[in-house]
Amino acid sequence: MSESLVSTFRALVGARHVLVGDRETRRYSKGFRYGGGKVLAVVRPGNLLEQWRVLEAAVEAGVIVIVQAANTGITGGSTPFGEGYDRPIVIINVMRIARIDLIRDGQQVIALPGATLDRLEKTLRPIGREPHSVIGSSCIGASVVGGVCNNSGGALIQRGPAYTELALYAQLGADGRLRLVNHLGVALGEDPETILGRLDRGEYGPADIAPEGNRRASDHDYHRHVRDIDADTPARYNADPRKLFEASGSAGRLAVFALRLDTFPADSDSQVFYIGSNDPTELAAIRRHILSRFETLPIAGEYLHRDGYDLTRKYGKDIFLLIKTFGTDRVPQAFAMKSWVDGLTEKLGLGGAISDHVVQFAMGLLPEHLPARMNAYRDRFEHHLMLRMGGPGVAEARAYFATLFPSATGDVFECTPEEGSAAFLHRFAFGSAAPRYKATHRSEVEDLLALDVALPRNEADWLPALPEDLDRELVHKSVCGHFFCHVMHQEYLVRKGADVPAIKTRLLALLASRGVEYPAEHNVGHLYEAKPALVDFYRTLDPTNSFNPGIGKTSKKRGWA
């Protein structure tokens, strides 16, 4: 069956787009940060019809299907994970299908499954509009569809998590039949071949596009939801039942072909305020005041602890300089090259971290890359808050901070455009720092525990406090987050020889005791256990357990056995 199926795939998409063997498939079968496993093949269709036909062949053969885009997930949710599967696994990588169509004068887009956030941002820029999220995961080539399927977050406070109720997707029913569901709100025909063929060719016009009706193409209510600072529930998290709808939150349990999404007016006349403090309650008070009393919500508000500042300054320097020098276009290619080199050195028995050591050595030869005023605040203050305001919010923030600072514990400065860009870029380089440290300190680090958590909106004690005995098991701990949404990223480098599963269990128990929801925006992947409501959602979408089984630590067996 395996050889026959691979031959079928080659006939459908061309031999060069069907990859087999551990080395050829490594880039797709090994998670960006976590997970990996054996696959029968990686298939790279070049259009929607090819994707459908490949999917049909895989379903007919009874194999497991993982539909994958950029493979940039933090929790391993777009690759296999270890052993225990009862069927061969085929990855359908959709990154060749990357078109973005502007509709309704650019107020909305239709994104095909390989379209990236970076490409969407560049497509919208000439018409003065933006997607729901900018920079962040877009730097490493994350896809638009992947973000929606994982209810990913985003740094932009006014726009909320990635969400739409307008989607074109394939679903495998309990009867074993594959069905194409067109809830895109675009009249394209009746049968799958016609629908997908017309969308492939862009054969539709304004008259074919229906109004949204009762369906929404973004989270329209989030700007009000996040302002409810006295609510004892989080503003957003992956398993929030409010935002589990068909493709949104589906996490690979459906095969998505296209999404229809709102776009937003680009923010102009913005100003970044850089706040430093040695008292976390001072920042908490600022958050509550701005969310409850400001007329204008911030564009973004990012927190970074001094420990995270230091780790990123050294181990995220390459990402910072790569993006600053070449823009985000080169980052996916850089990660692909790194994966190729690591695969080669692993095959030669030299280990998979040589590229990390080489890059880190080279970074040590380069001069300081962060602005002097930021580094001075690093020396003075433990806690850092980067606040971007726009329009009338700039004057509102300036007047408010004039009444607060300088204080006994904090201060603020208004960034130049270069400083503001550097501040947010440094914050977003945070995600690459701990994995680099782990790769270059294998004798010191047992593993990395990366937790993204959603605190209740009324939580005042927002910094993690660990028992001393647990703290001793950690080499480094770093915290950053989307401060106004109360979504915090906690990264723990565990000391060599420590019991990582036990430490993780204790950390999650501490979080649960405080009413914290997790994961907040990276989704369960293979790192977290899905809660019952989320498992029920997955089972409804995929009753045969054939699409991306095992995520959320669920069954990997046919029919959820």
Side-chain angles (χ1 to χ4, degrees):
M1 181 270 288
S2 297
E3 290 184 6
S4 173
L5 184 58
V6 170
S7 296
T8 299
F9 291 151
R10 286 172 174 153
L12 290 171
V13 305
R16 67 189 291 254
H17 296 301
V18 180
L19 310 177
V20 295
D22 291 346
R23 186 178 171 197
E24 280 201 24
T25 61
R26 182 186 187 278
R27 176 184 168 191
Y28 306 92
S29 62
K30 183 176 175 61
F32 167 66
R33 185 187 280 192
Y34 187 83
K38 295 279 188 182
V39 297
L40 170 64
V42 175
V43 188
R44 302 177 66 242
N47 58 51
L48 298 175
L49 264 180
E50 286 185 0
Q51 182 185 345
W52 171 257
R53 291 165 181 166
V54 167
L55 190 61
E56 282 188 311
V59 168
E60 184 177 349
V63 299
I64 287 169
V65 174
I66 299 176
V67 181
Q68 175 195 85
N71 190 20
T72 58
I74 302 298
T75 57
S78 56
T79 67
F81 180 71
E83 306 296 331
Y85 297 94
D86 59 351
R87 294 149 288 172
I89 299 171
V90 170
I91 292 176
I92 301 177
N93 183 277
V94 295
M95 291 303 288
R96 293 177 62 212
I97 316 172
R99 199 178 79 237
I100 296 168
D101 295 343
L102 300 179
I103 62 173
R104 300 183 64 198
D105 298 320
Q107 294 181 56
Q108 291 185 332
V109 297
I110 291 177
L112 301 193
T116 64
L117 276 169
D118 179 66
R119 181 170 180 172
L120 178 57
E121 189 177 342
K122 289 180 170 63
T123 300
L124 293 172
R125 189 174 295 150
I127 62 171
R129 298 188 72 83
E130 291 178 338
H132 116 280
S133 183
V134 296
I135 202 166
S137 55
S138 64
C139 293
I140 51 176
S143 72
V144 177
V145 169
V148 171
C149 290
N150 287 296
N151 273 354
S152 296
L156 302 181
I157 299 166
Q158 302 165 15
R159 301 178 192 174
Y163 181 75
T164 186
E165 298 169 0
L166 298 161
L168 174 65
Y169 59 88
Q171 183 172 25
L172 184 59
D175 58 1
R177 285 186 56 202
L178 187 68
R179 296 173 176 85
L180 187 69
V181 179
N182 183 6
H183 288 165
L184 200 60
V186 181
L188 294 165
E190 299 301 325
D191 65 281
E193 296 269 331
T194 301
I195 292 169
L196 297 172
R198 285 187 61 188
L199 190 53
D200 268 328
R201 297 184 296 271
E203 291 180 358
Y204 66 93
D208 299 310
I209 301 170
E212 298 96 312
N214 293 328
R215 291 177 178 256
R216 295 181 172 187
S218 64
D219 186 353
H220 293 189
D221 300 322
Y222 188 75
H223 66 285
R224 288 185 290 269
H225 186 71
V226 74
R227 282 185 180 271
D228 188 359
I229 57 173
D230 293 318
D232 60 1
T233 56
R236 58 178 171 89
Y237 58 100
N238 288 130
D240 186 349
R242 298 169 54 250
K243 298 304 167 192
L244 297 177
F245 187 92
E246 296 180 358
S248 293
S250 60
R253 295 296 186 168
L254 301 172
V256 178
F257 289 83
L259 295 178
R260 180 172 159 185
L261 294 152
D262 288 332
T263 68
F264 304 87
D267 293 300
S268 59
D269 188 29
S270 68
Q271 174 63 51
V272 175
F273 297 85
Y274 199 100
I275 303 156
S277 180
N278 289 313
D279 181 2
T281 64
E282 187 169 42
L283 297 188
I286 290 171
R287 171 185 171 271
R288 289 182 63 86
H289 180 94
I290 289 176
L291 286 178
S292 62
R293 299 190 185 182
F294 270 31
E295 289 291 328
T296 306
L297 274 177
I299 298 168
E302 294 295 304
Y303 169 79
L304 186 61
H305 188 272
R306 178 190 279 155
D307 292 342
Y309 187 106
D310 291 344
L311 199 71
T312 306
R313 184 179 182 181
K314 182 173 183 179
Y315 294 97
K317 185 175 182 177
D318 59 312
I319 291 294
F320 181 102
L321 292 176
L322 179 64
I323 296 171
K324 181 180 179 181
T325 305
F326 298 107
T328 54
D329 288 341
R330 301 292 181 88
V331 180
Q333 294 96 313
F335 276 95
M337 177 61 72
K338 181 182 184 303
S339 178
W340 184 87
V341 170
D342 291 345
L344 178 62
T345 57
E346 281 182 353
K347 186 175 182 180
L348 296 174
L350 301 175
I354 289 179
S355 66
D356 291 285
H357 285 279
V358 171
V359 169
Q360 204 54 43
F361 175 78
M363 290 302 104
L365 302 178
L366 297 178
E368 176 61 54
H369 61 294
L370 296 179
R373 286 205 291 181
M374 282 174 56
N375 287 334
Y377 264 47
R378 178 263 165 226
D379 295 339
R380 291 175 60 193
F381 302 115
E382 182 179 0
H383 308 287
H384 298 241
L385 177 62
M386 293 142 272
L387 181 70
R388 184 182 295 278
M389 300 296 301
V394 175
E396 202 171 8
R398 187 174 289 137
Y400 172 56
F401 290 140
T403 68
L404 292 181
F405 297 120
S407 69
T409 55
D411 208 346
V412 64
F413 69 86
E414 293 190 29
C415 294
T416 65
E418 293 76 17
E419 288 172 328
S421 176
F424 276 89
L425 186 51
H426 182 59
R427 156 63 184 90
F428 286 114
F430 174 93
S432 64
R436 171 65 53 74
Y437 187 96
K438 174 190 170 184
T440 55
H441 294 77
R442 292 184 181 272
S443 63
E444 179 185 347
V445 176
E446 184 67 30
D447 205 353
L448 167 64
L449 287 176
L451 308 180
D452 64 300
V453 304
L455 307 179
R457 283 165 282 173
N458 65 353
E459 178 63 76
D461 187 15
W462 53 273
L463 271 180
L466 302 180
E468 287 187 16
D469 64 319
L470 188 56
D471 194 62
R472 286 194 296 268
E473 297 297 312
L474 306 175
V475 177
H476 277 290
K477 55 183 183 293
S478 303
V479 180
C480 74
H482 311 305
F483 190 64
F484 288 81
C485 302
H486 256 193
V487 168
M488 309 301 290
H489 301 290
Q490 303 171 359
E491 305 220 329
Y492 301 105
L493 289 156
V494 182
R495 193 175 304 281
K496 194 72 174 179
D499 187 341
V500 176
I503 291 172
K504 178 184 172 185
T505 298
R506 287 190 64 189
L507 286 171
L508 294 180
L510 287 169
L511 291 169
S513 68
R514 299 174 56 196
V516 170
E517 291 283 354
Y518 54 83
E521 58 183 12
H522 294 156
N523 218 345
V524 289
H526 291 282
L527 186 60
Y528 297 93
E529 183 174 344
K531 293 184 177 180
L534 187 57
V535 175
D536 289 344
F537 179 64
Y538 291 158
R539 293 186 70 140
T540 300
L541 297 181
D542 182 21
T544 69
N545 203 28
S546 297
F547 290 1
N548 208 13
I551 57 165
K553 300 188 180 296
T554 58
S555 170
K556 296 177 178 178
K557 308 294 186 182
R558 188 190 305 273
W560 297 84

